[in-house]
Amino acid sequence: MSQDFFAKHEATLKGALDAIATRGFWSAYPEAPSGRLYGETAAVDGEAAFKARLDKPFGLNQPATKAMIGAEMSPFGFALGITYPSPDIDGLMQAAQAALPAWRKAGPQARAGVCLEILHRLNRRSFEIAHAVQHTTGQAFVMAFQAGGPHAQDRGLEAVAYGYRAMAEVPAHSHWQKPQGKADPLRMDKDYHIVGQGVALMVGCSTFPTWNGYPGLFASLVTGNAVVLKPHPGAILPLAITAEIARDVLAEAGLPEDVVLLATDSAEAPLTKELALRPEVKIIDFTGSSAFGSWLEANARQARTYAEKAGINFIVIESVADIKAVTRNLAFSLSLYSGQMCTTPQNIFVPKAGIKAGDGHLSFDEVAAAIAGAVGKFNADPERAVEVLGAVQAQATCDRLEQARSLGKVLLESRSITHPAFANARVRTPLILAVEAKDAAVFTKELFGPISFVIAAESGRSAIEQATRSAKEHGALTAGVYSTDPAFLAAAEDLCIDAGVALSENLDGGVFVNQSAAFSDYHGTGANPAANAALCDSAFVAERFRVVQVRRHSA
Amino acid sequence: MSQDFFAKHEATLKGALDAIATRGFWSAYPEAPSGRLYGETAAVDGEAAFKARLDKPFGLNQPATKAMIGAEMSPFGFALGITYPSPDIDGLMQAAQAALPAWRKAGPQARAGVCLEILHRLNRRSFEIAHAVQHTTGQAFVMAFQAGGPHAQDRGLEAVAYGYRAMAEVPAHSHWQKPQGKADPLRMDKDYHIVGQGVALMVGCSTFPTWNGYPGLFASLVTGNAVVLKPHPGAILPLAITAEIARDVLAEAGLPEDVVLLATDSAEAPLTKELALRPEVKIIDFTGSSAFGSWLEANARQARTYAEKAGINFIVIESVADIKAVTRNLAFSLSLYSGQMCTTPQNIFVPKAGIKAGDGHLSFDEVAAAIAGAVGKFNADPERAVEVLGAVQAQATCDRLEQARSLGKVLLESRSITHPAFANARVRTPLILAVEAKDAAVFTKELFGPISFVIAAESGRSAIEQATRSAKEHGALTAGVYSTDPAFLAAAEDLCIDAGVALSENLDGGVFVNQSAAFSDYHGTGANPAANAALCDSAFVAERFRVVQVRRHSA
């Protein structure tokens, strides 16, 4: 049965394998929330499916359930009212362990087939998942559809492709024949068995439960591990739907459903530490705070942790051809999902003496005003603004926004916007502050949310030096540099490479520094404190399995 | 210049890349210490070169030398009298760091070319290295030549091939073109830069300084790291020669010599901990005790440690076709280098009710006596025996051998043999003891050296269960099973796969459980406590570099 899944999706896998070899544009799952692509009734059906989930227990038939819990609140202002299975951890681990031998023996092809079928079904359910992502993360609908649906599925498929390629590079058998001069050669037959590491724990985040979660989930699955999904208590539904689909596909393939298990907890009684310390857990994928990521690395020593933690992303504006194009681009980057992306720029460095702009010159204040003005204008129309800003996931972010006002000179106030469709939604526009280079104590902390600094630097050179020094010390996932000087760009490249931060140069069109495209852009590098791994490369999958050999004299 | 090295050795690299894809028999460097292969004067020249090293400072021109130290004693009974540079660690780290940018910018091809040229020159110096390995490790000459020379070089080349393949799988550039309906597509150009992690520390062992050291050295080098070689104080010379050759090649390639540095210490003033904790050190390769390996993993948290630690290897004899062929094979495995290989079997399980042997039956005592008898006979002729046994590297191993006598019923006494050529050599034959399955407290400790137990098990099934349980708990690098029953072999395979230990079945010819061939046999699995990595697979190289991308709108 599972071989059918492989055959059914072999062309998709082939496309993904080609894509990771060239890393040009490629996508398996259409990003437009369109009836033409997803079926005329898909939008209506998806919304209905989401609404049917509300205010009742989530029917996930899995073992070792101790209680049904859940207290998700939509950032758009209502309680989801869904409860999910919270596990007896001993029982959960037993179930996961028991599922491992059959999952290993199914082999790489069958496992890839199962993963591809799960992704296919997730894709067909993208509208339902979009609502689930919107009403847990606060992303506006179209973003929730794209980032939570097809883009996340592409990232999952990318992980399947890397895992499959890594396993395919290990021959299943070899014949070893060593010459012995005039005597008969020595002859051995050898089998190489791919063995998963054991149980993998995927710790989800509240802002991108699927986009940040699927790479680890699918990398672990395809390489032969069982996966426990531990969602953030505020964003359970997207991963619960994922677990439901995965378990269905496994059962249809005649494989143990318990290869994928959901472990729900609450903010009051978190389970992550206990799960992470279990000896059965050999792999942890985590997206979240630096403090907790470091705790995992320091304590869950029986496991390999792939952690994306906090970073402080930066922009350096040294010179521009067209300030309007630059600030239009930045306005979108700063506004998108109210700055709640791990890739949103926080620190914008501008030389205090101003910059060359086209044939003219702009003072620091003029550049700062241009940025603030562009962001203000971008969010002027509330109806349009909410479709980019979405809602703020956590009240703590609103509180932080409030407190941050005093950290610098306010260039643009954050406004609260009333959502036309959701009266109780937490909607906030970006806050932009001016500070000086010496105020590093203020801006070298991550201020998660729509909070940015325009920093008056000594010079372009000192700006890029300070920014990359901060990236080395505090981490950064993204960097943007604006310069019309090739020598400056070359120097910036060297410093960014040294700081291990992905660099975007002179983005002034329809590509944004905080967006990374699966199959082409690596998300994170693993080379600075913001993350110890990249989505997705060979290093992300290589240690999720081991090879055990058996050899004997040839018959 | 370095591009010439790549062109010069491209066919060798191609051969290695083909070999890792199929893992059949392949070797780049001839294992026979023959004048026909290495030049008619190679043997004499090599011995002369070794002797010319003795009793003087080793002329390694490297920075940050604080003192010249060294107290190597040949296990064959004389002092080497060579001193080596011991570093000022701050200066050493500065030198390594300073070498990194040029080494990164040289790129994968140039780095591979340098690695291949180093390996080529090491190969041409195999006779000199053989003497250096013999008189530090105690290996007999032919073994020192093969394991310390061509086999080690093959393992190094294997690491170069894995590293090169991993880097080659990352495209250097991509063009990303995303359709936008009727509008012009979005177009981006992207560069992907391979960046080493930083400084790598290779901590050498006293028994296989090159064989166990070259994989980490060359995996780190080819992927763009600088490498500090920290030899065991008892086996410095082989790695000093390696450093000398590496620095020569780097200089000829116009690259910084300090990409490879030697850090000599002494047993009285060890430097490994201080080196391992340096923030510059991002990779550690270690072969040695479980205690120190675990210390590195627990403390050198800024680095990724690839550790081969202690293991307790086992043999299970359930039934045999020909007991003589089996015990002849085991006699060599137990005698080779006096059991000082990390792959030597320690525990030999035999059912207490005896075994089926051909058409007959052998009691436990008969099997035990056959093993002891074969080992005794194998070492009966001292002149022949010393060419297999070699000498015992450390006095502690002789002491352990003395103390171990009381741990069971002596089946074969260890004898001290006078070496015909080296009167003061520490030569010992294997000690073999009989114990019962319940004496696990005795035999589940690693007793490094020529000490083996024949263990009376309840049954074949209980033997393989107990042995693999021990492998999961205490680690094991090798396992051997003898059985004429396909069902028993299948069950043993399952248990060994689960325990992450490489299995050899029914070895009764010219292949031995303690030998692993580069390009075909993985050494270690990383899946039990004996090692957290395998020599060599993709996981061994994948995290030694990172990818940093730079993107911009297409012109």
Side-chain angles (χ1 to χ4, degrees):
Chain A
M1 173 79 89
S2 59
Q3 295 301 326
D4 293 351
F5 288 146
F6 185 80
K8 180 177 171 190
H9 299 295
E10 200 169 354
T12 303
L13 180 60
K14 174 74 171 52
L17 289 167
D18 289 348
I20 62 170
T22 54
R23 296 197 73 91
F25 174 78
W26 193 73
S27 168
Y29 307 111
E31 70 178 3
S34 129
R36 193 174 52 74
L37 296 164
Y38 283 91
E40 285 312 323
T41 62
V44 173
D45 295 348
E47 188 171 7
F50 167 70
K51 289 197 166 151
R53 299 282 192 190
L54 302 178
D55 301 313
K56 58 175 77 77
F58 189 97
L60 192 68
N61 178 27
Q62 70 172 35
T65 296
K66 212 162 72 177
M68 296 295 286
I69 62 169
E72 289 161 298
M73 285 293 304
S74 170
F76 293 92
F78 59 92
L80 271 56
I82 315 174
T83 57
Y84 307 87
S86 182
D88 163 61
I89 290 179
D90 282 338
L92 195 80
M93 287 295 150
Q94 275 165 29
Q97 291 273 81
L100 281 170
W103 189 229
R104 170 177 76 72
K105 288 183 185 173
Q109 278 210 2
R111 289 197 299 269
V114 164
C115 290
L116 289 159
E117 178 67 17
I118 296 169
L119 286 163
H120 170 72
R121 294 192 195 181
L122 286 168
N123 179 250
R124 301 327 294 173
R125 301 270 283 277
S126 291
F127 277 95
E128 179 187 353
I129 289 168
H131 288 281
V133 169
Q134 175 177 15
H135 290 295
T136 49
T137 68
Q139 291 173 27
F141 181 78
V142 171
M143 181 177 180
F145 182 92
Q146 295 188 334
H151 292 175
Q153 295 146 17
D154 273 336
R155 279 280 179 217
L157 176 58
E158 186 183 42
V160 172
Y162 275 100
Y164 187 79
R165 183 173 78 178
M167 293 187 293
E169 284 175 346
V170 180
H173 312 281
S174 77
H175 178 69
W176 181 86
Q177 181 161 329
K178 183 176 180 179
Q180 297 291 296
K182 286 175 189 159
D184 280 350
L186 293 170
R187 291 195 185 90
M188 301 285 289
D189 284 301
K190 308 183 182 186
D191 305 324
Y192 306 100
H193 298 271
I194 304 275
V195 186
Q197 296 272 21
V199 179
L201 175 66
M202 200 291 281
V203 183
C205 67
S206 61
T207 48
F208 291 92
T210 59
W211 198 96
N212 276 88
Y214 286 178
L217 166 62
F218 285 99
S220 288
L221 279 184
V222 76
T223 51
N225 303 282
V227 180
V228 172
L229 297 169
K230 209 304 290 176
H232 187 282
I236 305 165
L237 183 56
L239 292 180
I241 295 171
T242 304
E244 181 184 66
I245 291 173
R247 293 175 59 85
D248 283 353
V249 172
L250 284 159
E252 287 178 38
L255 289 162
E257 294 171 87
D258 295 343
V259 164
V260 177
L261 292 156
L262 186 75
T264 312
D265 66 358
S266 65
E268 298 73 35
L271 293 180
T272 309
K273 287 188 178 183
E274 189 179 343
L275 286 165
L277 296 178
R278 289 291 299 213
E280 298 90 343
V281 170
K282 303 295 188 191
I283 296 169
I284 300 173
D285 286 277
F286 169 76
T287 308
S289 72
S290 294
F292 197 75
S294 300
W295 184 91
L296 286 172
E297 291 171 319
N299 293 280
R301 303 276 299 291
Q302 85 293 350
R304 166 63 208 260
T305 295
Y306 300 87
E308 184 190 316
K309 302 184 277 190
I312 303 163
N313 307 307
F314 65 85
I315 301 283
V316 170
I317 305 179
E318 191 266 345
S319 52
V320 298
D322 175 358
I323 189 70
K324 281 207 173 133
V326 170
T327 56
R328 243 195 329 262
N329 183 283
L330 287 178
F332 181 80
S333 289
L334 298 179
S335 302
L336 184 61
Y337 188 29
S338 298
Q340 297 170 95
M341 297 176 75
C342 49
T343 50
T344 305
Q346 173 177 306
N347 293 341
I348 304 170
F349 292 86
V350 177
K352 65 181 183 184
I355 64 167
K356 195 164 147 304
D359 296 330
H361 180 271
L362 291 172
S363 70
F364 173 84
D365 287 343
E366 286 169 326
V367 176
I371 296 167
V375 174
K377 190 173 154 196
F378 187 84
N379 295 304
D381 173 8
E383 212 154 326
R384 186 170 161 263
V386 294
E387 298 307 331
V388 173
L389 295 167
V392 175
Q393 204 278 332
Q395 183 55 44
T397 302
C398 293
D399 300 345
R400 188 178 308 113
L401 199 49
E402 209 59 47
Q403 290 150 12
R405 270 195 91 258
S406 61
L407 296 176
K409 187 184 120 191
V410 175
L411 293 168
L412 184 71
E413 292 281 8
S414 172
R415 289 182 301 123
S416 191
I417 292 181
T418 303
H419 196 292
F422 301 99
N424 298 321
R426 272 191 300 259
V427 184
R428 298 287 187 281
T429 65
L431 169 71
I432 304 183
L433 303 161
V435 293
E436 292 179 37
K438 66 174 172 49
D439 303 327
V442 166
F443 60 76
T444 58
K445 284 196 195 78
E446 190 200 39
L447 292 161
F448 187 79
I451 303 164
S452 293
F453 298 96
V454 182
I455 302 161
E458 284 303 312
S459 66
R461 179 78 203 189
S462 95
I464 188 69
E465 284 173 0
Q466 183 172 13
T468 49
R469 221 166 32 237
S470 158
K472 287 178 90 155
E473 198 174 338
H474 307 290
L477 288 172
T478 63
V481 169
Y482 291 92
S483 176
T484 57
D485 175 2
F488 186 83
L489 289 174
E493 287 182 15
D494 257 9
L495 287 166
C496 286
I497 290 166
D498 183 51
V501 60
L503 173 61
S504 297
E505 295 177 351
N506 293 320
L507 294 187
D508 59 4
V511 172
F512 304 94
V513 70
N514 40 348
Q515 293 186 323
S516 81
F519 298 104
S520 183
D521 295 316
Y522 295 100
H523 175 74
T525 64
N528 72 48
N532 67 11
L535 307 180
C536 223
D537 62 10
S538 293
F540 190 67
V541 300
E543 288 202 88
R544 291 178 196 253
F545 67 92
R546 295 295 186 189
V547 182
V548 183
Q549 77 174 58
V550 178
R551 64 180 181 173
R552 61 192 73 81
H553 295 296
S554 301
Chain B
M1 171 80 87
S2 60
Q3 295 300 326
D4 293 353
F5 289 146
F6 185 80
K8 180 178 170 190
H9 300 295
E10 200 169 353
T12 303
L13 180 60
K14 172 76 170 52
L17 289 167
D18 289 347
I20 63 171
T22 54
R23 296 196 74 90
F25 174 80
W26 193 74
S27 168
Y29 307 110
E31 71 178 2
S34 128
R36 195 174 51 75
L37 295 163
Y38 284 91
E40 285 312 322
T41 62
V44 173
D45 295 349
E47 187 171 7
F50 168 70
K51 289 196 167 155
R53 300 281 193 192
L54 302 178
D55 301 314
K56 58 175 77 78
F58 189 97
L60 192 69
N61 178 27
Q62 68 171 37
T65 296
K66 214 165 67 177
M68 295 296 285
I69 62 169
E72 290 161 297
M73 284 294 302
S74 169
F76 293 90
F78 59 90
L80 270 56
I82 314 174
T83 57
Y84 308 87
S86 182
D88 162 62
I89 291 180
D90 282 340
L92 195 80
M93 287 294 149
Q94 275 165 31
Q97 291 272 81
L100 281 170
W103 188 230
R104 169 175 77 70
K105 287 182 186 173
Q109 278 210 2
R111 288 197 299 270
V114 165
C115 290
L116 289 159
E117 178 67 15
I118 296 169
L119 285 164
H120 170 72
R121 294 192 194 181
L122 286 168
N123 179 249
R124 300 326 295 172
R125 300 270 282 277
S126 291
F127 278 94
E128 179 186 353
I129 289 169
H131 287 282
V133 169
Q134 175 177 13
H135 291 294
T136 49
T137 69
Q139 291 173 29
F141 181 77
V142 172
M143 182 178 180
F145 182 92
Q146 296 189 332
H151 292 175
Q153 294 146 17
D154 272 337
R155 279 280 178 215
L157 176 57
E158 185 185 44
V160 171
Y162 275 100
Y164 187 80
R165 183 173 77 178
M167 294 187 293
E169 285 175 344
V170 180
H173 311 282
S174 76
H175 179 70
W176 180 86
Q177 182 162 328
K178 182 176 180 177
Q180 298 291 296
K182 287 175 188 159
D184 281 348
L186 294 170
R187 290 194 187 89
M188 302 286 288
D189 284 300
K190 308 184 182 185
D191 305 324
Y192 304 100
H193 298 270
I194 303 277
V195 188
Q197 295 272 20
V199 179
L201 174 66
M202 200 289 282
V203 183
C205 66
S206 61
T207 47
F208 290 91
T210 59
W211 198 96
N212 276 89
Y214 286 178
L217 165 62
F218 285 99
S220 287
L221 279 184
V222 75
T223 51
N225 304 281
V227 179
V228 173
L229 297 170
K230 208 303 291 173
H232 188 281
I236 304 166
L237 183 57
L239 293 179
I241 296 171
T242 304
E244 182 185 64
I245 291 174
R247 292 173 60 84
D248 282 352
V249 173
L250 284 158
E252 287 178 37
L255 289 162
E257 294 171 270
D258 295 342
V259 163
V260 176
L261 292 155
L262 186 75
T264 312
D265 65 358
S266 64
E268 298 71 36
L271 292 180
T272 310
K273 287 187 177 182
E274 188 178 343
L275 285 164
L277 296 177
R278 290 290 300 212
E280 298 91 342
V281 170
K282 302 296 188 192
I283 296 169
I284 300 173
D285 286 276
F286 169 76
T287 307
S289 72
S290 294
F292 197 76
S294 300
W295 185 91
L296 287 171
E297 291 171 320
N299 292 281
R301 303 278 297 290
Q302 85 294 349
R304 165 64 207 258
T305 296
Y306 301 86
E308 184 189 317
K309 302 184 278 190
I312 303 163
N313 307 307
F314 66 86
I315 301 282
V316 170
I317 306 178
E318 192 266 344
S319 51
V320 298
D322 175 358
I323 190 71
K324 281 204 175 137
V326 170
T327 54
R328 243 193 330 261
N329 183 283
L330 287 177
F332 183 79
S333 290
L334 298 179
S335 302
L336 183 62
Y337 188 28
S338 298
Q340 297 170 95
M341 298 177 73
C342 50
T343 50
T344 304
Q346 173 176 306
N347 293 340
I348 304 170
F349 292 86
V350 177
K352 65 180 182 184
I355 63 166
K356 195 164 147 304
D359 295 331
H361 180 271
L362 291 171
S363 70
F364 173 83
D365 287 343
E366 286 168 325
V367 176
I371 296 167
V375 174
K377 188 173 157 197
F378 188 84
N379 295 304
D381 172 8
E383 212 154 323
R384 187 172 160 260
V386 295
E387 297 309 329
V388 173
L389 294 167
V392 175
Q393 205 278 333
Q395 182 54 45
T397 302
C398 293
D399 300 345
R400 190 178 306 115
L401 199 47
E402 211 57 50
Q403 289 151 13
R405 272 195 91 257
S406 62
L407 295 176
K409 187 183 121 193
V410 176
L411 293 168
L412 185 71
E413 292 281 7
S414 172
R415 288 182 302 125
S416 192
I417 292 182
T418 303
H419 196 294
F422 301 99
N424 298 320
R426 269 192 300 260
V427 184
R428 297 288 187 280
T429 65
L431 170 72
I432 305 182
L433 303 162
V435 294
E436 292 179 37
K438 66 174 172 45
D439 302 328
V442 166
F443 61 76
T444 58
K445 284 195 195 78
E446 190 200 36
L447 292 162
F448 187 78
I451 303 164
S452 293
F453 298 97
V454 182
I455 301 160
E458 285 302 313
S459 66
R461 179 76 202 192
S462 96
I464 188 70
E465 284 173 358
Q466 183 173 13
T468 49
R469 219 163 38 234
S470 159
K472 289 179 88 155
E473 197 175 338
H474 306 290
L477 288 172
T478 63
V481 169
Y482 291 92
S483 176
T484 57
D485 175 2
F488 186 82
L489 289 174
E493 288 183 14
D494 256 11
L495 287 165
C496 286
I497 290 166
D498 183 52
V501 60
L503 173 61
S504 297
E505 295 177 351
N506 293 318
L507 294 187
D508 57 6
V511 173
F512 304 95
V513 70
N514 40 346
Q515 292 186 324
S516 81
F519 297 106
S520 183
D521 295 315
Y522 295 100
H523 176 74
T525 64
N528 72 48
N532 68 13
L535 307 180
C536 229
D537 62 8
S538 293
F540 190 68
V541 301
E543 288 201 89
R544 292 180 195 254
F545 67 91
R546 295 295 186 189
V547 182
V548 183
Q549 78 174 58
V550 179
R551 63 180 183 175
R552 60 192 74 79
H553 295 294
S554 301

